[in-house]
Amino acid sequence: MANDAVKAHTVAIDRIRRRHRSPVPHEGDNGLFSQSWFPICLSNEVAQGQVIGRDFLDGRVVVYRGEDGVARVMSAYCPHVGADLSVGAVIGNRLQCAFHRWEYDAEGWCAKTGVGDPPPPTACLFKFPVIERFGIVWVFNGEQPLWDLFDFDTPDEQLAYTAFYADLYTCDGWIFAANTPDIQHIKAVHGIRFLTDDPHAVVQWEPYGFRMKISARHQHDEAIEWNVGIRGSSTYIQEGTVDGWWLGVFAGFSLPRPGAHRPFMAICVHKGDGSPESERQVQERLEFGKQLLSRTAFEDKPILDNIHYTAGTLTRGDLTLGRYIEMLRKYPRAHPSADFIK
């Protein structure tokens, strides 16, 4: 019996060693980051004619909105001598550096210099792909997006929404994303009681993520029929009914620096008919959704702020989690803006 115990312990140690030889890469490992869509700011944080600075990946970017109302995200440092463009100005649809009045057009190219010298042909900013939806500005880490953000079954124009972000978490955003396929976590931390078998068999896998239907009771006994999903390493969708009415969540995990993220969330409900009673109901449902998601994030925060995440000794209850972790191990990673944002 003693020898059997020693052998079992030796096998376990060997599995742990092999597991650590193939971990999930953390953001910034070897100077690379997930090629995913990341929330960068709320739409109402950058008004028309305004520019703001944000930390992103391992450097800094600017978000600005020109006279056309379009939000754009570019590398923050002027290629002339490196001034931070977030202290500059928006001129039409151009971004003007405060130091020497160089101006950059909507594609990131220097259009003019302050003293009238011809713009150097190599003077340009890195322009990120940008999408603005449900009050959140999203930026893709790459020159071209590999995939699109999720769509609800209900068209965007039929939805009312409220957008907000939570406190900063001291772990990579993909760790929060991994909570969704973690069925054991859904039960243990959030008290969700499935009305069917664990949903591993009905998960619909995509090239860069998955969707999963949940029929359950939430911790306060709310009846939920949800279709949830993760795409990439940083985007989340949830849509379905709570006690019979439709609720949508359009969320993502920012990447201000390696080892940290901030959850951004848009709560969506069906628009009312314009009557005072209907509008009151819309606002009540938006507030309910916000409280529900805030409660969920609050329950996760102390765990994720102190986690040393690794794919350890998984069980049969971790079937979906294990497959998502394997996807993350192989997920495309790059850093094309590295020479611009640092």
Side-chain angles (χ1 to χ4, degrees), residues 35-64:
Q35 291 199 270
S36 192
W37 284 101
F38 296 95
I40 195 75
C41 69
L42 298 177
S43 295
N44 62 17
E45 292 182 292
V46 54
Q48 189 172 18
Q50 184 182 10
V51 57
I52 60 175
R54 288 292 183 269
D55 293 333
F56 182 52
L57 305 177
D58 54 358
R60 189 165 173 80
V61 299
V62 290
V63 187
Y64 82 95

Side-chain angles (χ1 to χ4, degrees), residues 13-235:
I13 292 297
D14 182 60
R15 285 176 177 168
I16 291 171
R17 285 172 175 159
R18 284 187 281 114
R19 177 193 75 201
H20 282 289
R21 283 200 293 268
S22 182
V24 176
H26 284 275
E27 299 293 0
D29 282 359
N30 299 314
L32 302 177
F33 296 86
S34 301
Q35 291 199 270
S36 192
W37 284 101
F38 296 95
I40 195 75
C41 69
L42 298 177
S43 295
N44 62 17
E45 292 182 292
V46 54
Q48 189 172 18
Q50 184 182 10
V51 57
I52 60 175
R54 288 292 183 269
D55 293 333
F56 182 52
L57 305 177
D58 54 358
R60 189 165 173 80
V61 299
V62 290
V63 187
Y64 82 95
R65 194 184 299 277
E67 64 181 7
D68 59 4
V70 176
R72 297 177 174 86
V73 179
M74 300 191 186
S75 50
Y77 300 114
C78 179
H80 182 205
V81 293
D84 188 336
L85 294 168
S86 69
V87 299
V90 178
I91 309 295
N93 292 321
R94 293 179 179 178
L95 188 58
Q96 185 187 75
C97 179
F99 204 2
H100 301 101
R101 303 298 191 267
W102 286 29
E103 291 184 13
Y104 297 88
D105 65 21
E107 297 301 315
W109 290 99
C110 183
K112 62 179 293 188
T113 64
V115 297
D117 291 344
T122 57
C124 67
L125 309 175
F126 188 92
K127 180 187 176 185
F128 291 88
V130 172
I131 289 178
E132 190 168 8
R133 287 182 73 189
F134 298 118
I136 299 172
V137 179
W138 299 78
V139 57
F140 190 86
N141 172 35
E143 297 183 66
Q144 296 292 332
L146 300 179
W147 42 267
D148 296 328
L149 289 171
F150 281 116
D151 288 318
F152 288 123
D153 289 339
T154 302
D156 291 7
E157 59 271 16
Q158 296 179 19
L159 300 175
Y161 63 87
T162 183
F164 63 100
Y165 52 74
D167 293 335
L168 190 73
Y169 284 59
T170 53
C171 68
D172 285 337
W174 64 260
I175 294 176
F176 204 146
N179 279 356
T180 297
D182 187 346
I183 304 302
Q184 294 197 45
H185 148 266
I186 291 173
K187 294 177 177 179
V189 177
H190 303 305
I192 291 179
R193 307 182 306 280
F194 291 105
L195 302 180
T196 60
D197 293 336
D198 289 354
H200 303 297
V202 296
V203 177
Q204 296 179 320
W205 290 94
E206 305 172 350
Y208 295 107
F210 66 90
R211 294 293 294 267
M212 175 175 68
K213 291 185 177 180
I214 293 175
S215 179
R217 288 275 176 178
H218 216 292
Q219 57 186 234
H220 291 177
D221 208 38
E222 303 97 339
I224 59 174
E225 296 286 341
W226 286 348
N227 189 350
V228 302
I230 296 289
R231 192 169 286 170
S233 62
S234 58
T235 72

